[in-house]
Amino acid sequence: MLADISLQDARATQWDVVIVGSSFAAIFFLYGLPAGLSVLVVEQGKVARHDELLFREPNPNEIVPVDNQAGREKGWVKSLVFGGNSNCWWGQTPRFHPSDFDVKSRFGIAEDWPVSYDDLQSSYGEVEQIMEIAGGGDTHILPRSGAYPYPPHTPSRSDAFLQQNDPLWVPGATARSNGGSRSTCCATGICHHCPIDAKFSILNAVDKFTRPGAFLLKETEAVRVVHDGGIATGLVVQSGGAEHVIMAQRVGLGANAIFNAAILLRSDFRSPAIGRYLHEQTSVEVEIDTPIQNFFGGTSITGLGYHFYHDFDRRDKAAVLMQNFNVPASIRPLKDRWTERLTVKLVAEDIPQPENRVVLDGRNPKIEWIGHHQYSYDGLAYAMDNLSAAFPTALEAVRIVHEPVTEAHIQGTTRMGDDPASSVIDRDLRLHEATNVWVLGAGAFPSCSPANPTLTLAALSLRASRALT
Amino acid sequence: MKQTRRSFLLRSGLLVVAAGGVYALSSGLRDWLQGQIQDDFGPEIAQSSETSAFLDDYLVFLGQDKGRSAQIASVYFRLKPAALPSLFGAESEIRRHMLQIFARSTTTIMAAETGAEFQYAGLFEPSLAPCQNQLAAIAV
């Protein structure tokens, strides 16, 4: 575990790097820093053991008011505890598709990224090693230079059948263990509270990130960055109702895309894109009755379908990634055909819109939300209408059983780009307005992907700190 | 207010009727659930000691669980028919809930598909007993 430090001692030190937050983005940035630096991690939440977090519903979740003009319920997940959302994620770790990085050039939507899939390849691979990812069989869609650290989980019977018949169905890469230092996943279906701690979390892997010279200042809120003339000199924190300054040569903001934006706004940085383009995926869960036997897979989600994503025209409708659930999944209430029901989640990309944004209400963040882009819903509708293209058997019934209000991904409020006029940070996650400030996490995403963001945001963080000299 | 002999007898009678009703309807729930299992998986499985053990545990679970299906089961089977018209027809939801847990708690699917021995592995309640999903690879 990172060594604790008191506020008094933290204030008495001139730190090489101060990092805000302790979830994926922050801690993978820490991991890649050159040796020998003094590093302070500032976390607002407490440190809790895995068993203390189990079955707390909801997780300790910071509430942010939302001015929701969308006409649909909207939620966000912001876990306020050491390790952040790594404690309550599901462990889905697909890489982004190569086309996700240049959607504007290819399809005329959103923005291109200033980095490419190839730029991230080595960082992807390193994060997969650290997280002990289980996967395989998807190289024809997601190119990679080496094997996954661990083999994919046993497919469900439906995944085995689908993968045999269609190369666009592939095993799902996951941080739910199938070998390595953690317990092997046994398909409980309650991954957000994995009772056997089988999925990677910052908490259960913290020793990999512990290093000489790194300390944890917990239960302390980051308020704003102190800067002058384009150079950050420290961080203002709040503890015990009072503000204090911690001096730093470099600052990494890894709170999340809501609180990173709030910190930048409080710091009086001026980029017009700060706080804007908040987005995440939309999704529906469907039950599909079809003569394919299901179940008996090794983990909760055993397969991914790329039919509406790989080599897919995204000009006028969103790409959609399909997740085939082994558990939780429903039994078909039909004698002798109990397992002939698939539970599939369709996840669609969104187009980031400037009106969806984080603003300050006094000193606190507030979300202004006009809703997901119609493009995202059009992608879901297209996938629903064309589901039969993804299954070699007759679809006897298809029902939407759930429309989640969030995918628990907060993205886009500090977008990366080469142009300071339209972006907040550069390709190395450095703030255009102060290049010794790194703004980490999915806030950097200038476009959406239907794939889960964790592996990519961790790879971006690692790449950024590896580039630091 | 003075309690008359008549009102005392009336109240006592109502209490007896109410207690009996709860007992009868709870017992009725067990029989009904067993009937659902029999409809799907046949009398041999439904009337086995393994299923009996499952039903014992499942009824305890229903009493403890605060989820919608458990609430519906406890209300519907005890207050039916007039109290909550919105719950009419809730049998299908309760049946669905029970069968989901039954299929993950027992080897009933494999028994039906392959003739494997029918066994009850303990109630599938992953927060309490995580690695008992009988529809997972670990069960094969």
Side-chain angles (χ1 to χ4, degrees), chain A residues 3 7-8 28 47 59 102 114 182 235 239 242 280 284 288 306 372 375 377 381 394 405:
Chain A
L7 176 61
Q8 185 178 8
F28 275 91
V47 175
N59 269 303
D102 52 5
R182 302 183 298 277
L235 181 75
S239 180
E280 68 165 337
V284 292
I288 302 170
Y306 281 82
H372 296 285
Y375 171 89
Y377 296 115
V405 298

PDB file of all heavy atoms in Angstrom, chain A residues 3 7-8 28 47 59 102 114 182 235 239 242 280 284 288 306 372 375 377 381 394 405:
ATOM      1  N   ALA A   3       2.340   4.603   1.154  1.00  0.00           N
ATOM      2  CA  ALA A   3       2.546   5.072   2.520  1.00  0.00           C
ATOM      3  C   ALA A   3       1.703   6.318   2.774  1.00  0.00           C
ATOM      4  O   ALA A   3       1.662   7.227   1.937  1.00  0.00           O
ATOM      5  CB  ALA A   3       4.027   5.390   2.731  1.00  0.00           C
ATOM      6  N   LEU A   7      -1.174  15.824   6.272  1.00  0.00           N
ATOM      7  CA  LEU A   7      -1.263  17.083   5.530  1.00  0.00           C
ATOM      8  C   LEU A   7      -0.099  17.993   5.899  1.00  0.00           C
ATOM      9  O   LEU A   7       0.495  18.648   5.034  1.00  0.00           O
ATOM     10  CB  LEU A   7      -2.608  17.754   5.838  1.00  0.00           C
ATOM     11  CG  LEU A   7      -2.814  19.122   5.203  1.00  0.00           C
ATOM     12  CD1 LEU A   7      -2.772  19.053   3.687  1.00  0.00           C
ATOM     13  CD2 LEU A   7      -4.145  19.732   5.665  1.00  0.00           C
ATOM     14  N   GLN A   8       0.247  17.993   7.156  1.00  0.00           N
ATOM     15  CA  GLN A   8       1.343  18.863   7.604  1.00  0.00           C
ATOM     16  C   GLN A   8       2.656  18.499   6.895  1.00  0.00           C
ATOM     17  O   GLN A   8       3.370  19.369   6.394  1.00  0.00           O
ATOM     18  CB  GLN A   8       1.495  18.721   9.128  1.00  0.00           C
ATOM     19  CG  GLN A   8       2.507  19.664   9.721  1.00  0.00           C
ATOM     20  CD  GLN A   8       2.603  19.533  11.241  1.00  0.00           C
ATOM     21  OE1 GLN A   8       2.025  18.631  11.838  1.00  0.00           O
ATOM     22  NE2 GLN A   8       3.320  20.437  11.859  1.00  0.00           N
ATOM     23  N   PHE A  28      -2.240   4.647 -12.995  1.00  0.00           N
ATOM     24  CA  PHE A  28      -1.394   4.238 -14.116  1.00  0.00           C
ATOM     25  C   PHE A  28      -0.435   5.363 -14.516  1.00  0.00           C
ATOM     26  O   PHE A  28       0.646   5.089 -15.030  1.00  0.00           O
ATOM     27  CB  PHE A  28      -2.236   3.746 -15.298  1.00  0.00           C
ATOM     28  CG  PHE A  28      -2.608   2.298 -15.157  1.00  0.00           C
ATOM     29  CD1 PHE A  28      -3.784   1.921 -14.534  1.00  0.00           C
ATOM     30  CD2 PHE A  28      -1.748   1.311 -15.605  1.00  0.00           C
ATOM     31  CE1 PHE A  28      -4.104   0.582 -14.373  1.00  0.00           C
ATOM     32  CE2 PHE A  28      -2.053  -0.028 -15.447  1.00  0.00           C
ATOM     33  CZ  PHE A  28      -3.242  -0.404 -14.831  1.00  0.00           C
ATOM     34  N   VAL A  47      -9.719   5.165   2.568  1.00  0.00           N
ATOM     35  CA  VAL A  47      -9.235   3.863   2.127  1.00  0.00           C
ATOM     36  C   VAL A  47     -10.101   2.820   2.808  1.00  0.00           C
ATOM     37  O   VAL A  47     -10.266   2.838   4.028  1.00  0.00           O
ATOM     38  CB  VAL A  47      -7.752   3.654   2.512  1.00  0.00           C
ATOM     39  CG1 VAL A  47      -7.304   2.242   2.140  1.00  0.00           C
ATOM     40  CG2 VAL A  47      -6.881   4.700   1.820  1.00  0.00           C
ATOM     41  N   ASN A  59     -22.318   2.200  -4.037  1.00  0.00           N
ATOM     42  CA  ASN A  59     -20.975   2.518  -3.592  1.00  0.00           C
ATOM     43  C   ASN A  59     -20.973   3.955  -3.082  1.00  0.00           C
ATOM     44  O   ASN A  59     -21.845   4.738  -3.440  1.00  0.00           O
ATOM     45  CB  ASN A  59     -19.997   2.427  -4.765  1.00  0.00           C
ATOM     46  CG  ASN A  59     -19.382   1.053  -4.897  1.00  0.00           C
ATOM     47  OD1 ASN A  59     -18.762   0.560  -3.967  1.00  0.00           O
ATOM     48  ND2 ASN A  59     -19.575   0.449  -6.033  1.00  0.00           N
ATOM     49  N   ASP A 102      -9.916   7.945 -35.542  1.00  0.00           N
ATOM     50  CA  ASP A 102     -10.017   8.928 -36.634  1.00  0.00           C
ATOM     51  C   ASP A 102     -11.427   8.923 -37.236  1.00  0.00           C
ATOM     52  O   ASP A 102     -11.608   8.799 -38.445  1.00  0.00           O
ATOM     53  CB  ASP A 102      -8.947   8.699 -37.700  1.00  0.00           C
ATOM     54  CG  ASP A 102      -8.901   7.278 -38.222  1.00  0.00           C
ATOM     55  OD1 ASP A 102      -9.761   6.472 -37.820  1.00  0.00           O
ATOM     56  OD2 ASP A 102      -8.015   6.987 -39.042  1.00  0.00           O
ATOM     57  N   PRO A 114      -5.509  12.965 -31.513  1.00  0.00           N
ATOM     58  CA  PRO A 114      -4.132  13.284 -31.916  1.00  0.00           C
ATOM     59  C   PRO A 114      -3.191  12.090 -31.752  1.00  0.00           C
ATOM     60  O   PRO A 114      -2.000  12.207 -32.037  1.00  0.00           O
ATOM     61  CB  PRO A 114      -3.755  14.431 -30.979  1.00  0.00           C
ATOM     62  CG  PRO A 114      -4.597  14.224 -29.768  1.00  0.00           C
ATOM     63  CD  PRO A 114      -5.870  13.591 -30.228  1.00  0.00           C
ATOM     64  N   ARG A 182      -4.907 -13.142  -8.935  1.00  0.00           N
ATOM     65  CA  ARG A 182      -6.207 -13.037  -8.262  1.00  0.00           C
ATOM     66  C   ARG A 182      -6.973 -14.365  -8.367  1.00  0.00           C
ATOM     67  O   ARG A 182      -6.649 -15.214  -9.192  1.00  0.00           O
ATOM     68  CB  ARG A 182      -7.049 -11.919  -8.892  1.00  0.00           C
ATOM     69  CG  ARG A 182      -6.386 -10.560  -8.851  1.00  0.00           C
ATOM     70  CD  ARG A 182      -7.300  -9.473  -9.412  1.00  0.00           C
ATOM     71  NE  ARG A 182      -7.661  -9.648 -10.802  1.00  0.00           N
ATOM     72  CZ  ARG A 182      -6.902  -9.275 -11.824  1.00  0.00           C
ATOM     73  NH1 ARG A 182      -5.718  -8.723 -11.605  1.00  0.00           N
ATOM     74  NH2 ARG A 182      -7.292  -9.462 -13.067  1.00  0.00           N
ATOM     75  N   LEU A 235      -0.826  22.870  -5.759  1.00  0.00           N
ATOM     76  CA  LEU A 235      -2.223  22.476  -5.729  1.00  0.00           C
ATOM     77  C   LEU A 235      -2.830  22.967  -4.414  1.00  0.00           C
ATOM     78  O   LEU A 235      -2.235  22.795  -3.344  1.00  0.00           O
ATOM     79  CB  LEU A 235      -2.327  20.939  -5.793  1.00  0.00           C
ATOM     80  CG  LEU A 235      -3.723  20.344  -5.798  1.00  0.00           C
ATOM     81  CD1 LEU A 235      -4.377  20.543  -7.179  1.00  0.00           C
ATOM     82  CD2 LEU A 235      -3.668  18.849  -5.471  1.00  0.00           C
ATOM     83  N   SER A 239      -9.022  20.502   3.547  1.00  0.00           N
ATOM     84  CA  SER A 239      -9.118  19.462   4.560  1.00  0.00           C
ATOM     85  C   SER A 239      -9.523  20.125   5.866  1.00  0.00           C
ATOM     86  O   SER A 239      -8.996  21.184   6.205  1.00  0.00           O
ATOM     87  CB  SER A 239      -7.764  18.753   4.724  1.00  0.00           C
ATOM     88  OG  SER A 239      -7.864  17.749   5.710  1.00  0.00           O
ATOM     89  N   ALA A 242     -10.547  23.914   5.831  1.00  0.00           N
ATOM     90  CA  ALA A 242      -9.589  24.977   5.488  1.00  0.00           C
ATOM     91  C   ALA A 242      -8.825  24.604   4.223  1.00  0.00           C
ATOM     92  O   ALA A 242      -8.650  23.433   3.914  1.00  0.00           O
ATOM     93  CB  ALA A 242      -8.617  25.184   6.639  1.00  0.00           C
ATOM     94  N   GLU A 280     -21.147   9.876 -22.831  1.00  0.00           N
ATOM     95  CA  GLU A 280     -20.871   8.458 -22.644  1.00  0.00           C
ATOM     96  C   GLU A 280     -21.789   7.669 -23.570  1.00  0.00           C
ATOM     97  O   GLU A 280     -22.613   8.250 -24.285  1.00  0.00           O
ATOM     98  CB  GLU A 280     -21.046   8.026 -21.189  1.00  0.00           C
ATOM     99  CG  GLU A 280     -22.483   8.053 -20.691  1.00  0.00           C
ATOM    100  CD  GLU A 280     -22.659   7.280 -19.371  1.00  0.00           C
ATOM    101  OE1 GLU A 280     -21.849   6.405 -19.056  1.00  0.00           O
ATOM    102  OE2 GLU A 280     -23.640   7.584 -18.682  1.00  0.00           O
ATOM    103  N   VAL A 284     -28.869  -0.666 -24.529  1.00  0.00           N
ATOM    104  CA  VAL A 284     -30.083  -1.410 -24.186  1.00  0.00           C
ATOM    105  C   VAL A 284     -29.682  -2.872 -23.947  1.00  0.00           C
ATOM    106  O   VAL A 284     -28.730  -3.363 -24.554  1.00  0.00           O
ATOM    107  CB  VAL A 284     -31.168  -1.364 -25.301  1.00  0.00           C
ATOM    108  CG1 VAL A 284     -31.736   0.023 -25.451  1.00  0.00           C
ATOM    109  CG2 VAL A 284     -30.634  -1.879 -26.629  1.00  0.00           C
ATOM    110  N   ILE A 288     -33.011 -12.408 -26.335  1.00  0.00           N
ATOM    111  CA  ILE A 288     -33.222 -12.944 -27.671  1.00  0.00           C
ATOM    112  C   ILE A 288     -33.529 -14.439 -27.542  1.00  0.00           C
ATOM    113  O   ILE A 288     -32.681 -15.199 -27.053  1.00  0.00           O
ATOM    114  CB  ILE A 288     -31.974 -12.749 -28.555  1.00  0.00           C
ATOM    115  CG1 ILE A 288     -31.615 -11.265 -28.639  1.00  0.00           C
ATOM    116  CG2 ILE A 288     -32.198 -13.350 -29.941  1.00  0.00           C
ATOM    117  CD1 ILE A 288     -30.265 -10.993 -29.290  1.00  0.00           C
ATOM    118  N   TYR A 306     -18.950  -7.723 -33.054  1.00  0.00           N
ATOM    119  CA  TYR A 306     -18.482  -6.498 -33.718  1.00  0.00           C
ATOM    120  C   TYR A 306     -19.213  -6.214 -35.024  1.00  0.00           C
ATOM    121  O   TYR A 306     -18.716  -5.440 -35.851  1.00  0.00           O
ATOM    122  CB  TYR A 306     -16.968  -6.588 -33.969  1.00  0.00           C
ATOM    123  CG  TYR A 306     -16.143  -6.298 -32.737  1.00  0.00           C
ATOM    124  CD1 TYR A 306     -15.905  -7.273 -31.779  1.00  0.00           C
ATOM    125  CD2 TYR A 306     -15.623  -5.034 -32.516  1.00  0.00           C
ATOM    126  CE1 TYR A 306     -15.166  -6.994 -30.650  1.00  0.00           C
ATOM    127  CE2 TYR A 306     -14.870  -4.750 -31.388  1.00  0.00           C
ATOM    128  CZ  TYR A 306     -14.646  -5.730 -30.455  1.00  0.00           C
ATOM    129  OH  TYR A 306     -13.909  -5.443 -29.324  1.00  0.00           O
ATOM    130  N   HIS A 372     -28.143  12.577 -24.887  1.00  0.00           N
ATOM    131  CA  HIS A 372     -27.280  11.930 -25.877  1.00  0.00           C
ATOM    132  C   HIS A 372     -27.683  12.395 -27.275  1.00  0.00           C
ATOM    133  O   HIS A 372     -28.832  12.765 -27.528  1.00  0.00           O
ATOM    134  CB  HIS A 372     -27.426  10.408 -25.789  1.00  0.00           C
ATOM    135  CG  HIS A 372     -26.960   9.835 -24.491  1.00  0.00           C
ATOM    136  ND1 HIS A 372     -25.632   9.703 -24.162  1.00  0.00           N
ATOM    137  CD2 HIS A 372     -27.650   9.358 -23.420  1.00  0.00           C
ATOM    138  CE1 HIS A 372     -25.528   9.169 -22.962  1.00  0.00           C
ATOM    139  NE2 HIS A 372     -26.734   8.956 -22.482  1.00  0.00           N
ATOM    140  N   TYR A 375     -27.809  10.489 -33.018  1.00  0.00           N
ATOM    141  CA  TYR A 375     -26.916   9.553 -33.712  1.00  0.00           C
ATOM    142  C   TYR A 375     -26.730   8.261 -32.908  1.00  0.00           C
ATOM    143  O   TYR A 375     -26.697   7.160 -33.469  1.00  0.00           O
ATOM    144  CB  TYR A 375     -25.588  10.281 -33.896  1.00  0.00           C
ATOM    145  CG  TYR A 375     -24.417   9.490 -34.396  1.00  0.00           C
ATOM    146  CD1 TYR A 375     -24.169   9.369 -35.759  1.00  0.00           C
ATOM    147  CD2 TYR A 375     -23.509   8.925 -33.493  1.00  0.00           C
ATOM    148  CE1 TYR A 375     -23.046   8.679 -36.217  1.00  0.00           C
ATOM    149  CE2 TYR A 375     -22.393   8.241 -33.946  1.00  0.00           C
ATOM    150  CZ  TYR A 375     -22.163   8.120 -35.307  1.00  0.00           C
ATOM    151  OH  TYR A 375     -21.060   7.456 -35.748  1.00  0.00           O
ATOM    152  N   TYR A 377     -28.812   6.970 -30.580  1.00  0.00           N
ATOM    153  CA  TYR A 377     -30.056   6.187 -30.588  1.00  0.00           C
ATOM    154  C   TYR A 377     -30.302   5.576 -31.966  1.00  0.00           C
ATOM    155  O   TYR A 377     -30.847   4.478 -32.079  1.00  0.00           O
ATOM    156  CB  TYR A 377     -31.235   7.066 -30.175  1.00  0.00           C
ATOM    157  CG  TYR A 377     -31.122   7.572 -28.759  1.00  0.00           C
ATOM    158  CD1 TYR A 377     -30.987   8.926 -28.481  1.00  0.00           C
ATOM    159  CD2 TYR A 377     -31.140   6.691 -27.682  1.00  0.00           C
ATOM    160  CE1 TYR A 377     -30.867   9.390 -27.186  1.00  0.00           C
ATOM    161  CE2 TYR A 377     -31.020   7.144 -26.378  1.00  0.00           C
ATOM    162  CZ  TYR A 377     -30.886   8.495 -26.131  1.00  0.00           C
ATOM    163  OH  TYR A 377     -30.763   8.940 -24.844  1.00  0.00           O
ATOM    164  N   ALA A 381     -31.018   1.699 -32.774  1.00  0.00           N
ATOM    165  CA  ALA A 381     -32.190   1.287 -33.555  1.00  0.00           C
ATOM    166  C   ALA A 381     -31.771   0.451 -34.771  1.00  0.00           C
ATOM    167  O   ALA A 381     -32.396  -0.568 -35.085  1.00  0.00           O
ATOM    168  CB  ALA A 381     -32.981   2.519 -34.002  1.00  0.00           C
ATOM    169  N   ALA A 394     -32.748 -18.454 -36.424  1.00  0.00           N
ATOM    170  CA  ALA A 394     -33.938 -17.601 -36.445  1.00  0.00           C
ATOM    171  C   ALA A 394     -34.132 -16.945 -35.082  1.00  0.00           C
ATOM    172  O   ALA A 394     -33.994 -17.594 -34.039  1.00  0.00           O
ATOM    173  CB  ALA A 394     -35.162 -18.435 -36.796  1.00  0.00           C
ATOM    174  N   VAL A 405     -29.466   3.892 -17.403  1.00  0.00           N
ATOM    175  CA  VAL A 405     -29.356   5.358 -17.428  1.00  0.00           C
ATOM    176  C   VAL A 405     -27.911   5.812 -17.471  1.00  0.00           C
ATOM    177  O   VAL A 405     -27.623   6.999 -17.634  1.00  0.00           O
ATOM    178  CB  VAL A 405     -30.064   6.013 -16.222  1.00  0.00           C
ATOM    179  CG1 VAL A 405     -31.546   5.694 -16.246  1.00  0.00           C
ATOM    180  CG2 VAL A 405     -29.437   5.582 -14.905  1.00  0.00           C
TER     181      VAL A 405
END
